[in-house]
Amino acid sequence: MILRITAVALGIAIFAQDASAWGPQARQAIALGALSLVRRPTPDAFIAGEVSYERGLMRGAVDGSEVLGKDVPLYSDLQTIDAIGTEIQLLREARARGAGSHFAYRMGVLSALVSDVILPFGFSYTEAEDATRDRIRADLEKRVLTFTYSPLKRTFYYVGSPRLYFDARRSFFHDDRQIIADEYSRGQGYDGFLAEAGPVYFDRAVQAVADVWYTVFQEQGSQTDVRPSVRQLSFYYIDEIAYLLDVMESMEYADRAYGVFKEINPSEINPSLSLAYVEIGDLFYEFGTEEGKLRGVEEWKIAQRVPGEARKLASRRLGAHFISEGERLYRRSQSPDAFESDLPDALRSFQDALEFDRTNEEAARRISETSVAINDRRQEYELQQRFIDKAMGIITVAERSRVAKDFVSAITAYNQALLLVELIAPDFKNLYETAQDTSSAIGKDIKSVISEVLSTADDSIERGEAQMLNNNFDEAIKFFRLVETIVDVIPAEEGSMNEQRKQDMVDTANGLISDAQLEKKRLADQTANSQALN
């Protein structure tokens, strides 16, 4: 079978890597070739049901061994080979506990590490070697899509001893390295030995990655296998938590990985891993959600119980967190959306900050300031509560006056109560809502009183009209003139509906007064004429 890698697969974003002679495009191409091989004995490699983890695999291949960090020394050729053995055993153990997206990602990282070990200048250890490596990487990246892969074998090797395995597959490695260095120093570059050797190295890298992956996927190991330490496994799952939060953005999956971490460390805290709990706390906290922050705080609290550097770091983080939380509550306490519990809760947060970080001067200062603010707010709250209480008392007086038909006193009392509830500021949400409800109720009561006043004025008009029918014009005029006095209690701003209704009622009464006076005169004239005729 011949495979020609013609395009970068799976749409993984590619960025140039500085620490390898295989560029990101070449790393993906090697991983794709190895994937086609390893799926012969392991058809479900990097697949779980209908879920494929190939994107994570390719992402790891592109990111390369740089992600392993300082905990994995890669400062010599022998160290890089030993690192492959360590990663094989670590991933074998991780696979037995569940192989997901992070496992695939780390297998991609392992493929990059293996590929770099196969290629002369895959790793460089001096500035001069770095310069040669950079030129090799650029030349290979230009041509890697034209390389063809022709597998020379169908048998897979279990890589029990990476040193023996790579010694057998790199028999002329150091000679090739010298030849390539000489040709690049003389200016011949890729057009010399590497033009023929480049595709061969590519071919060997594909086969080596396939063998290493095959080793990881085997259920049965060998007597030479060395199980990873608790520390190595623990940090693997810390890396998985980071990956699941940062790349997959999933608290749920990160929490599952944390569960495995706890299975490895069943006691409440492993003192030798106290700094790990600080790091886990950082990862969850920096995820940014409220749930993530709470989880981060809980991890810091665990680390804070262990004397030493972990306690110091965790204490500072806890202090900063509780100050931040206190400041958030303090700011909200100054807003219309404040809860009465905000300032006391802010004070408790500042107190927690000082409890965890005894040297935190900011926490001590904010405790003092918040205590003063609580006292000031309490006094202001009590004052505004008194305004509401007094308003309620005046409303009771207004209601009694209303029942007694003393509309002047009723409206006056209602307006006094209204002035008091309008003094309530929105600083206290519960009092403000009570004031708003009371103000609305007073407005309705005043309207109701006005309706009663107008009804009383109507009654006076009707009584006057009844007197007119009985020719009691003087009594009728008294009732009509009483209308203006009755409606005078209605508060009426210029241009308001109340002013119009009030004026209409007065105009009606005045018109009836005129009518009564005319009728009175007419009747008097009629009586005088009758008497003259007699």
Side-chain angles (χ1 to χ4, degrees):
M1 176 179 70
I2 297 178
L3 298 177
R4 181 180 294 275
I5 309 300
T6 57
V8 176
L10 302 177
I12 302 297
I14 291 179
F15 303 95
Q17 303 291 319
D18 293 331
S20 167
W22 291 117
Q25 200 164 228
R27 290 179 177 186
Q28 280 202 92
I30 292 168
L32 282 170
L35 181 60
S36 68
L37 280 182
V38 83
R39 278 188 173 159
R40 295 176 187 173
T42 313
D44 61 348
F46 308 111
I47 297 174
E50 297 181 356
V51 179
S52 171
Y53 297 118
E54 289 184 27
R55 287 182 62 84
L57 181 72
M58 294 301 143
R59 182 180 285 111
V62 170
D63 289 350
S65 58
E66 292 83 357
V67 305
L68 297 176
K70 297 179 180 180
D71 289 338
V72 180
L74 301 173
Y75 305 119
S76 70
D77 189 53
L78 191 58
Q79 283 184 340
T80 59
I81 293 173
D82 288 343
I84 292 172
T86 300
E87 285 296 297
I88 288 173
Q89 298 306 321
L90 183 60
L91 289 166
R92 279 177 57 79
E93 185 74 21
R95 179 176 176 271
R97 297 173 182 271
S101 58
H102 177 251
F103 170 82
Y105 176 78
R106 287 291 289 265
M107 289 284 271
V109 171
L110 179 57
S111 76
L113 181 60
V114 171
S115 302
D116 291 341
V117 166
I118 289 292
L119 178 67
F121 289 98
F123 287 93
S124 54
Y125 308 105
T126 67
E127 290 185 6
E129 290 177 353
D130 289 346
T132 303
R133 176 206 61 200
D134 292 344
R135 295 174 63 190
I136 292 171
R137 180 177 57 248
D139 289 336
L140 289 173
E141 279 291 276
K142 291 177 186 176
R143 298 165 176 84
V144 70
L145 298 184
T146 67
F147 290 174
T148 58
Y149 167 59
S150 303
L152 303 177
K153 63 179 179 61
R154 292 184 180 272
T155 301
F156 289 89
Y157 292 92
Y158 187 95
V159 185
S161 172
R163 292 189 183 187
L164 294 176
Y165 178 88
F166 286 103
D167 280 349
R169 282 152 186 79
R170 304 191 316 165
S171 53
F172 298 102
F173 179 83
H174 296 289
D175 292 338
D176 291 357
R177 185 182 176 92
Q178 187 59 53
I179 292 171
I180 293 169
D182 290 344
E183 290 184 346
Y184 269 87
S185 67
R186 295 197 304 270
Q188 191 172 4
Y190 185 85
D191 295 330
F193 175 77
L194 194 57
E196 293 185 7
V200 175
Y201 294 136
F202 178 85
D203 206 73
R204 290 177 183 172
V206 171
Q207 293 183 58
V209 170
D211 283 339
V212 167
W213 282 353
Y214 169 82
T215 304
V216 173
F217 281 118
Q218 293 308 293
E219 299 290 342
Q220 297 295 325
S222 73
Q223 294 181 348
T224 61
D225 290 343
V226 178
R227 294 189 64 181
S229 66
V230 169
R231 181 179 180 81
Q232 288 173 321
L233 270 177
S234 297
F235 277 97
Y236 172 87
Y237 283 100
I238 292 173
D239 290 343
E240 180 162 333
I241 291 169
Y243 180 85
L244 294 171
L245 291 173
D246 295 342
V247 178
M248 306 305 292
E249 298 182 346
S250 172
M251 269 288 294
E252 178 184 356
Y253 291 142
D255 197 48
R256 292 181 189 177
Y258 180 80
V260 180
F261 172 85
K262 292 300 291 181
E263 288 176 6
I264 299 168
N265 300 278
S267 59
E268 185 177 19
I269 185 168
N270 182 341
S272 66
L273 291 174
S274 56
L275 289 173
Y277 290 89
V278 177
E279 184 174 349
I280 293 172
D282 291 350
L283 294 172
F284 278 116
Y285 195 88
E286 290 167 8
F287 189 59
T289 65
E290 190 62 27
E291 181 187 4
K293 288 184 176 181
L294 291 175
R295 284 295 306 278
V297 168
E298 290 307 309
E299 296 305 310
W300 291 336
K301 286 181 179 179
I302 293 174
Q304 204 264 348
R305 293 198 290 269
V306 181
E309 185 65 17
R311 171 176 290 178
K312 184 187 300 183
L313 294 174
S315 295
R316 290 174 182 169
R317 285 160 169 77
L318 288 166
H321 163 74
F322 284 110
I323 283 181
S324 175
E325 184 65 10
E327 294 291 359
R328 181 185 68 81
L329 291 166
Y330 191 94
R331 285 193 300 272
R332 193 173 69 182
S333 74
Q334 310 302 308
S335 75
D337 297 325
F339 295 98
E340 283 311 301
S341 60
D342 283 345
L343 273 178
D345 287 346
L347 179 60
R348 278 190 289 273
S349 288
F350 294 136
Q351 289 169 338
D352 287 341
L354 190 60
E355 179 182 349
F356 285 111
D357 186 3
R358 295 291 184 181
T359 62
N360 196 315
E361 296 180 0
E362 175 71 4
R365 181 178 65 82
R366 296 300 283 134
I367 287 171
S368 176
E369 292 174 350
T370 307
S371 297
V372 171
I374 288 174
N375 186 58
D376 291 346
R377 186 173 176 84
R378 183 183 297 114
Q379 292 179 6
E380 181 63 22
Y381 184 93
E382 291 172 354
L383 175 62
Q384 297 207 19
Q385 181 66 65
R386 287 197 294 273
F387 288 156
I388 290 179
D389 292 342
K390 188 169 183 61
M392 293 303 182
I394 293 174
I395 289 172
T396 301
V397 172
E399 289 170 347
R400 285 200 295 264
S401 298
R402 179 177 173 181
V403 170
K405 301 296 183 180
D406 182 358
F407 299 126
V408 175
S409 297
I411 291 177
T412 300
Y414 279 131
N415 283 326
Q416 288 175 348
L418 190 61
L419 289 173
L420 283 171
V421 297
E422 287 177 348
L423 294 174
I424 307 304
D427 297 346
F428 304 98
K429 190 174 183 179
N430 62 328
L431 294 183
Y432 186 69
E433 289 177 353
T434 299
Q436 293 294 100
D437 292 342
T438 303
S439 177
S440 177
I442 290 173
K444 292 177 182 178
D445 287 338
I446 290 175
K447 287 181 180 179
S448 180
V449 170
I450 290 172
S451 295
E452 290 182 40
V453 170
L454 293 172
S455 178
T456 301
D458 277 334
D459 287 344
S460 188
I461 288 174
E462 289 177 0
R463 293 174 71 180
E465 289 174 334
Q467 293 295 327
M468 281 184 66
L469 291 174
N470 294 321
N471 294 329
N472 296 324
F473 300 112
D474 289 338
E475 287 298 317
I477 290 171
K478 287 180 181 179
F479 282 117
F480 295 146
R481 284 177 174 166
L482 188 60
V483 169
E484 185 169 4
T485 302
I486 292 171
V487 299
D488 190 55
V489 302
I490 297 175
E493 295 180 2
E494 185 177 352
S496 68
M497 181 66 71
N498 283 343
E499 181 190 37
Q500 185 63 48
R501 294 171 70 188
K502 180 177 178 179
Q503 189 61 49
D504 289 346
M505 190 65 72
V506 171
D507 290 345
T508 298
N510 288 335
L512 289 170
I513 290 171
S514 296
D515 292 345
Q517 288 172 338
L518 287 173
E519 283 297 314
K520 177 181 178 182
K521 184 177 183 305
R522 185 188 64 76
L523 183 59
D525 290 345
Q526 185 179 7
T527 302
N529 290 334
S530 295
Q531 290 175 350
L533 291 174
N534 292 329

